[in-house]
């Protein structure tokens, strides 16, 4: 305390100190007259001074907090303090900017309910904070308006004075820009800028995965190397802009040709690669599947393109390298597919070639067969042979019509070689109609000759043919056109026809039965038809498959099966016939089992028209000559 005095006035001064005793200022009181009771004044002033000190300290502290808060607000990052139930205690302006919620709106609200898109990632981060006191990592969170925000968070567990967990301080940074840049870098590194397709790098990566997956899961796959024919000419004549436009359209079309799990890549220039996965591991099937995909690509890319101001046509050449056992590298495969592509180019372009020489042979042979078959149908190279069906007393009851192909170079081609290809390609529909028509013509001719009138004609019908929408109409029309009696026509169906889509099968069979046509179930015993199906089908006959007849004398199982089939047909009220009967001993066993009708080499091989007529007319007898004397 200082005291000063003049004649006219006096002053008293008192130091102001903070709690620690540090002087923080002075308090002076000025008097307009001389002092009288200095002691009283002194104590009053001390009280004043200590109150002023406290107030100044409080003001200073408030200012300090305000300064800190404004500093936190100036931070770019979102700074959030929440309690252990995730209710917001503090929310800076950075958080307002990042999440769109103001501090007032969100104070007391739970951030796990408002901000979290990925609940499990959030739980894992909380778990880390609880255990280790902190967590750092990336997280996708949610803005007030619902859009996703990539953030990077640094969370710290805040403890109270007694060391107990109290709250969580989170500093979250907006990393959307960084993420976008990362994605862009990724895109530039792994995708082709012109078409947006995966580039060579990404293809190599995916292909090496695909090769090992195929080996592990015992699947097949194929690499298709696709090169546009004459692309350079387009570039040179119409310019690079038009060339670019074409490449982009080719890319889009290629994508439509494959499944989502397959890869379409551009290696550069006009070279594209398609990688097919999840194909059959069986080499022949794999080849057929890869060929089907490549043919689709040939067809799709051959459609006209709309370029700037002109229409343009181009074709590709495709090389195919199949893979299955994981015994090759990506580099090998690319080389193989590339080589095969060059073969396709030299083979006349707009075509495909397989690398594997064996597969190539299989595929070529099939393709050749298919092409040959188309022209064979047009040129009448198909013919029917007829195999007699004979009753127990040797009386001829009918024939089965069997297709043959008289090939100008290969000679007589058996149906086992061309029926499967015909089924695969859909040619079976045309071929099947021809067979039916020809067989019905023969049947109609027999009507003019009394001894032959009673003979039936069995015709094989493949599943695809039976399922075709026009089948019932076709049969009706053929019967009408040829004048063949429907009740003498017997369609041979296999069990596979019966078991898939039972309801529509029954409907088709009923419609045909209304026409008067009968049914025999071919190759019986080799399929899966159940008794309940059989009871519902309007069948007339079961045909015991030749595999059971073949080993009848040596395999007791087959003998038992034959017994069962005969008993079954009796129970269902159906006829039964055995096919592939080659010996008298087989015939004897079948007779003993109760089977009264036979077809097989024992009686006759399938005969052509002339041989059949000769047999039918020999001795004018309806009995099969060589066996008419059998009991
Ligand atoms: P499938 O319907 O089971 O015809 C019976 C096959 O057994 C015929 O063979 C016939 O020549 C042969 N075969 C007859 N008797 C004997 C015998 O005693 N021993 C032996 N080992 N075989 C005998 P093919 O003519 O080669 O016909 C094979 C298959 O081709 C037929 O089997 C049938 O599934 C199919 N097929 C033939 N023609 C047609 C047709 O016009 N349409 C359809 N969809 N399939 C046909
Ligand atoms: Ca048959
Ligand atoms: Ca058969």
């Amino acid at each position: 305390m200082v005291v000063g005095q003049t004649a006219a006035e006096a002053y008293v001064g008192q130091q102001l100190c903070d709690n620690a005793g540090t002087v923080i200022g002075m308090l002076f009181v000025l008097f307009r007259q001389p002092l009288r009771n200095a002691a009283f004044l002194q104590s009053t002033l001390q009280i004043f001074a200590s109150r002023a000190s406290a107030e100044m300290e409080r003001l200073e502290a408030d200012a300090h907090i305000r300064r800190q808060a404004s500093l936190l607000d100036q931070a770019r990052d979102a700074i959030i303090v929440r309690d252990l139930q995730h209710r917001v205690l503090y929310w800076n302006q950075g958080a307002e900017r990042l999440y769109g919620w103001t501090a007032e709106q969100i104070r007391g609200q739970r951030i796990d309910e408002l901000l979290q898109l990925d609940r499990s990632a959030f739980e894992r981060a909380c778990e880390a904070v609880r255990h280790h006191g902190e967590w750092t990592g990336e997280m996708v969170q949610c803005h007030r308006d619902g859009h996703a925000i990539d953030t990077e968070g640094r969370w710290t567990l805040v403890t109270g004075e007694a060391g107990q967990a109290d709250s969580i301080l989170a500093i979250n940074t907006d990393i959307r820009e960084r993420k976008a840049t990362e994605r862009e870098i990724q895109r530039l590194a792994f995708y082709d800028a012109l078409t947006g397709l995966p580039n060579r790098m990404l293809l190599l990566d995916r292909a090496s995965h695909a090769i090992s997956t195929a080996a592990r899961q015992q699947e097949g796959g194929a690499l298709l190397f696709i090169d546009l024919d004459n692309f350079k000419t387009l570039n040179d004549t119409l310019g690079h802009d038009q060339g670019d436009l074409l490449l982009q359209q080719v890319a889009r079309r290629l994508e439509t040709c494959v499944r989502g799990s397959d890869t379409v890549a551009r290696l550069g220039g006009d070279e594209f690669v398609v990688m097919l996965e999840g194909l059959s591991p069986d080499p022949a099937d794999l080849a057929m599947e890869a060929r089907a995909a490549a043919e689709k690509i040939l067809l799709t890319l051959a459609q006209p393109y709309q370029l700037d101001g002109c229409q343009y046509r181009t074709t590709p050449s495709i090389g195919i390298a199949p893979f299955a056992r994981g015994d090759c590298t990506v580099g090998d495969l690319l080389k193989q597919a590339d080589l095969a592509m060059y073969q396709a180019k030299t083979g006349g372009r707009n075509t495909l070639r397989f690398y594997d020489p064996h597969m190539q042979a299989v595929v070529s042979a099939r393709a050749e067969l298919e092409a040959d078959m188309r022209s064979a149908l047009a040129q009448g190279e198909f013919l029917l042979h007829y195999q007699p069906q004979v009753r127990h007393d040797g009386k001829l009851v009918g024939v089965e019509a069997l297709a043959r192909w008289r090939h100008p170079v290969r000679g007589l081609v058996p149906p086992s070689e061309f029926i499967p290809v015909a089924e695969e390609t859909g040619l079976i529909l045309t071929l099947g109609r021809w067979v039916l028509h020809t067989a019905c013509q023969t049947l109609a001719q027999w009507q003019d000759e009394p001894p032959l009138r009673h003979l039936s004609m069995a015709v094989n019908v493949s599943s695809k043919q039976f399922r075709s929408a026009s089948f019932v109409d076709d049969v009706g029309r053929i019967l009408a056109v040829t004048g063949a009696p429907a009740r003498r026509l017997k369609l041979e169906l296999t069990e596979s026809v019966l078991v898939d889509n039972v309801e529509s099968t029954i409907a088709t069979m009923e419609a045909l039965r209304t026409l008067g046509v009968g049914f025999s179930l071919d190759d019986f015993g080799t399929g899966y038809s159940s008794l309940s199906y059989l009871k519902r089908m309007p069948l007339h006959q079961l045909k015991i498959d030749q595999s059971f007849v073949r080993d009848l004398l040596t395999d007791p199982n087959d003998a038992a099966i034959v017994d069962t089939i005969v008993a079954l047909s009796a129970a269902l009220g159906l006829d039964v016939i055995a096919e592939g009967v080659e010996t008298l001993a087989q015939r004897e066993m079948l007779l003993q089992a109760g089977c009264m009708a036979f077809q097989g080499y024992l009686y006759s091989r399938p005969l052509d028209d002339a041989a059949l007529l000769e047999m039918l007319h020999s001795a004018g007898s309806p009995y099969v000559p060589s066996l008419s004397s059998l009991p």
Side-chain angles (χ1 to χ4, degrees):
M1 156 104 61
V2 286
V3 179
Q5 188 133 350
T6 65
E9 49 190 22
Y11 64 90
V12 178
Q14 169 70 46
Q15 284 181 335
L16 299 177
C17 300
D18 64 12
N19 285 341
T22 316
V23 177
I24 57 170
M26 290 289 287
L27 179 66
F28 281 98
V29 182
L30 200 61
F31 297 90
R32 295 247 174 252
Q33 50 194 293
L35 283 179
R36 257 169 281 153
N37 190 347
F40 167 73
L41 239 175
Q42 190 175 353
S43 58
T44 312
L45 210 58
Q46 264 168 355
I47 293 168
F48 248 127
S50 77
R51 284 196 190 156
S53 294
E55 183 62 11
M56 279 179 69
E57 224 177 307
R58 199 181 60 74
L59 288 173
E60 179 65 22
D62 278 0
H64 185 64
I65 288 170
R66 270 198 304 278
R67 268 199 309 278
Q68 277 185 342
S70 96
L71 274 179
L72 292 182
D73 275 338
Q74 280 167 29
R76 280 173 50 121
D77 294 337
I79 300 174
I80 304 166
V81 181
R82 64 180 195 265
D83 65 16
L84 299 178
Q85 279 72 49
H86 309 306
R87 285 183 299 245
V88 172
L89 302 174
Y90 175 77
W91 183 264
N92 78 340
Q93 284 181 5
E96 292 189 351
R97 283 190 298 271
L98 183 58
Y99 299 106
W101 299 94
T102 66
E104 276 107 78
Q105 286 167 334
I106 207 155
R107 193 168 294 122
Q109 306 261 37
R110 296 180 52 157
I111 64 151
D112 54 336
E113 284 166 4
L114 292 182
L115 306 186
Q116 293 321 130
L117 271 183
D118 182 349
R119 247 345 244 247
S120 62
F122 179 77
E123 299 295 348
R124 279 195 303 276
C126 293
E127 191 68 17
V129 171
R130 271 195 296 276
H131 278 96
H132 312 298
E134 58 180 25
W135 170 81
T136 309
E138 291 181 5
M139 198 175 269
V140 181
Q141 293 186 299
C142 184
H143 187 272
R144 185 182 175 192
D145 66 16
H147 72 252
I149 329 168
D150 292 305
T151 61
E152 184 180 68
R154 289 175 299 284
W155 296 2
T156 312
L157 190 65
V158 180
T159 48
E161 279 169 9
Q164 82 289 4
D166 183 84
S167 54
I168 297 169
L169 165 71
I171 302 176
N172 295 342
T173 310
D174 182 353
I175 55 166
R176 276 175 287 185
E177 230 169 84
R178 192 180 88 202
K179 281 280 167 191
T181 314
E182 280 173 15
R183 278 192 284 269
E184 183 61 11
I185 290 171
Q186 166 98 359
R187 200 181 62 73
L188 290 174
F190 293 113
Y191 290 86
D192 167 48
L194 178 66
T195 60
L197 292 179
N199 64 12
R200 179 186 288 268
M201 286 266 279
L202 187 53
L203 173 73
L204 292 180
D205 183 59
R206 288 198 190 163
S208 68
H209 276 117
I211 291 171
S212 47
T213 308
R216 203 171 48 247
Q217 301 190 340
Q218 306 205 321
E219 289 175 349
L223 217 62
L224 276 54
F225 200 110
I226 302 161
D227 188 286
L228 299 182
D229 298 331
N230 306 319
F231 179 72
K232 194 176 170 304
T233 318
L234 165 80
N235 250 351
D236 292 348
T237 52
L238 295 178
H240 285 259
D241 288 351
Q242 299 280 51
D244 285 356
L245 218 55
L246 178 73
L247 293 174
Q248 285 167 336
Q249 293 184 26
V250 166
R252 297 292 83 77
R253 288 189 193 184
L254 284 175
E255 283 175 325
T256 66
C257 291
V258 300
R259 295 172 297 183
S261 53
D262 299 330
T263 298
V264 180
R266 178 176 173 232
L267 298 191
D270 60 340
E271 292 176 350
F272 294 86
V273 167
V274 165
M275 183 176 65
L276 306 172
E277 294 182 65
L279 305 184
S280 166
D282 171 71
D285 291 343
L286 170 53
M288 297 315 289
E289 287 172 10
R291 178 191 157 191
E295 281 182 336
K296 187 172 176 190
I297 292 173
L298 283 175
L299 209 70
T300 309
L301 295 194
Q303 302 304 311
Y305 296 82
Q306 198 56 50
L307 301 183
D308 266 349
C310 68
Q311 222 188 35
Y312 185 77
R313 277 176 185 278
T314 183
T315 52
S317 295
I318 304 180
I320 306 173
F323 59 92
R325 289 168 307 281
D327 51 5
C328 56
T329 67
V330 185
D332 292 342
L333 271 184
L334 267 176
K335 256 185 245 143
Q336 293 173 0
D338 193 17
L339 269 173
M341 190 276 292
Y342 271 100
Q343 285 176 343
K345 288 261 186 227
T346 44
R349 298 164 191 251
N350 190 20
T351 185
L352 59 94
R353 284 288 183 277
F354 275 85
Y355 171 71
D356 184 309
H358 171 66
M359 281 188 186
Q360 180 63 52
V362 171
V363 168
S364 304
R366 283 256 170 146
E368 211 175 299
L369 197 65
E370 186 189 334
D372 277 8
M373 254 171 87
R374 283 184 199 280
S375 65
L377 272 166
Q379 306 195 334
E381 287 172 15
F382 285 96
L383 62 149
L384 289 184
H385 279 185
Y386 301 93
Q387 187 174 33
Q389 297 184 334
V390 182
R391 225 166 53 177
H392 62 98
D393 56 2
K395 190 174 183 217
L396 186 72
V397 287
V399 299
E400 176 180 5
L402 294 158
R404 298 287 181 268
W405 177 7
R406 197 186 303 283
H407 192 279
V409 182
R410 302 179 207 204
L412 211 57
V413 184
S416 55
E417 279 183 34
F418 62 83
I419 294 283
V421 181
E423 283 179 342
E424 239 164 58
T425 55
L427 278 172
I428 192 72
L429 298 180
T430 321
L431 179 62
R433 265 196 299 270
W434 177 86
V435 169
L436 205 54
H437 194 271
T438 311
C440 284
Q441 270 177 336
T442 303
L443 195 53
Q445 282 160 14
W446 290 344
Q447 302 315 301
D448 301 332
E449 300 188 47
L452 308 181
R453 268 186 203 158
H454 71 283
L455 297 179
S456 66
M457 174 71 72
V459 175
N460 294 286
V461 175
S462 86
S463 164
K464 207 171 213 165
Q465 191 186 358
F466 184 80
R467 301 244 164 270
S468 93
S470 64
F471 185 60
V472 176
D473 288 349
D474 287 347
V475 174
R477 202 185 53 250
I478 289 170
L479 286 171
V481 169
T482 57
R487 66 183 183 289
R488 301 275 179 248
L489 179 63
K490 192 162 66 178
L491 299 181
E492 291 201 1
L493 306 178
T494 55
E495 286 171 275
S496 62
V497 174
L498 298 201
V499 292
D500 73 66
N501 205 345
V502 175
E503 297 310 321
S504 86
T505 301
I506 292 178
T508 306
M509 288 174 78
E510 290 291 357
L512 289 163
R513 193 175 65 165
T514 312
L515 296 175
V517 175
F519 297 98
S520 179
L521 191 47
D522 205 357
D523 305 341
F524 188 71
T526 58
Y528 303 98
S529 46
S530 75
L531 203 54
S532 64
Y533 290 169
L534 290 182
K535 268 165 62 182
R536 297 179 56 203
M537 304 286 170
L539 285 169
H540 300 84
Q541 186 179 62
L542 298 183
K543 199 168 187 184
I544 303 172
D545 187 63
Q546 47 181 290
S547 61
F548 304 121
V549 176
R550 190 180 343 124
D551 302 327
L552 202 53
L553 296 156
T554 49
D555 189 338
N557 281 332
D558 287 347
I561 290 172
V562 167
D563 281 342
T564 310
I565 296 176
V566 174
L568 182 68
S569 60
L572 291 170
L574 302 174
D575 286 348
V576 64
I577 184 170
E579 67 177 337
V581 183
E582 294 183 354
T583 65
L584 278 169
Q586 287 169 340
R587 175 179 173 279
E588 200 51 44
M589 285 270 286
L590 288 160
L591 262 178
Q592 273 169 25
C595 174
M596 302 299 209
F598 317 94
Q599 177 183 341
Y601 296 167
L602 173 65
Y603 296 94
S604 169
R605 294 201 168 241
L607 306 168
D608 62 19
D609 281 315
L612 180 72
L613 277 180
E614 192 185 330
M615 193 203 86
L616 290 176
H617 291 120
S618 67
S621 154
Y623 292 85
V624 176
S626 57
L627 290 157
S628 56
S629 55
L630 283 171

